[in-house]
Structures are given as C-alpha cells and as structure tokens.
Amino acid sequence: MKDFLEWSIHNLLHRVPALWEVHKLHHSIVEMDWIGNFRFHWLESVVYQGLTYLPLVIMGVNPSVLLPVAIAATVIGHLNHSNLDLTYGPLRYVFNSPRMHIWHHAAEMPPGRPLWRQLRDLAECVGLALWHRPLARA
C-alpha cells in the first residue's frame, strides 16, 4: 500500500505544475549515482511523507511495520539511482531496477522508442514494478 501511495504521489509530482517545480530539482541529476537519491527539495519530503503516512495511519497500519518497509524502500531507491547495470532477473517484474529507473531520469529517449514505451518509462519510478509494469521489459 505504501508503494502504491508513493507511486501515485510521484505521478502527481510530474503532472501538477506546482509540484513539478519542487520535484524537478531531483531530475536535475546529470549523472545517475546513489547520492542522487538525496537530491530533492525539502518540500518534496513534506509532500511525500504527509501524503504517504497520514493515510496509512488513518487506515490503522501498525507503526512497527512501517520502519522495515521504509528501510527497504530506501535501499531500493539508492540502488535505482546507482549507476549499476542490474535487472534483478525474473524479479524485474516485481521490483524496479537501476536499468529500468534510468529511463525515468533520461533527458531524451533513445531514437525509435515507441511513444507508449516513452510514457511508461516516465512512470517507472518507485520500488515495486507492479503498479506501472503491465508489460514485460527491461
């Protein structure tokens, strides 16, 4: 549930002009590396944390579950921003990988890439690939 909320929030960060003004700092990374996961505007943290954890608390999610999930999401985020050629093999259909996430940060798509793939590439951003990977790739 947390990952779905974060995926939804990230889509808002790309689609709502005021939120994009905050989020585009993260996309100003010139070269992908793990430290890029720390490049963000402080207001983005407020948006993410508020819109992620408030609904979870309202739904009664046990707080003791949230810490390990947050740690796992952070590790995946660091890996996805690393400059590593990882695909996770068959688990690529479950988890996003650095090879997949780099297209989310790409300034340009490779020539000949179909428009539907370009749009899907822009959405691939969070830990789990379940929300935005209806078709196999990467």
Side-chain angles (χ1 to χ4, degrees), residues 18-79:
L19 294 176
W20 172 247
E21 287 301 313
V22 171
H23 184 59
K24 71 181 181 183
L25 174 63
H26 177 70
H27 280 268
S28 68
I29 300 167
V30 177
E31 186 173 325
M32 289 291 278
D33 58 23
W34 68 273
I35 201 75
N37 202 34
F38 291 105
R39 185 180 181 103
F40 56 87
H41 191 283
W42 65 269
L43 193 53
E44 185 170 339
S45 221
V46 172
V47 170
Y48 259 117
Q49 304 314 313
L51 294 178
T52 299
Y53 291 103
L54 185 60
L56 293 174
V57 169
I58 290 170
M59 289 187 297
V61 173
N62 186 336
S64 66
V65 172
L66 295 177
L67 181 60
V69 169
I71 291 170
T74 300
V75 169
I76 290 170
H78 292 327
L79 283 171

Side-chain angles (χ1 to χ4, degrees), residues 104-123:
H104 178 69
H105 281 269
E108 294 179 19
M109 293 294 161
R113 194 160 184 82
L115 179 60
W116 67 270
R117 281 209 167 178
Q118 292 180 35
L119 295 172
R120 190 181 63 193
D121 290 337
L122 294 176

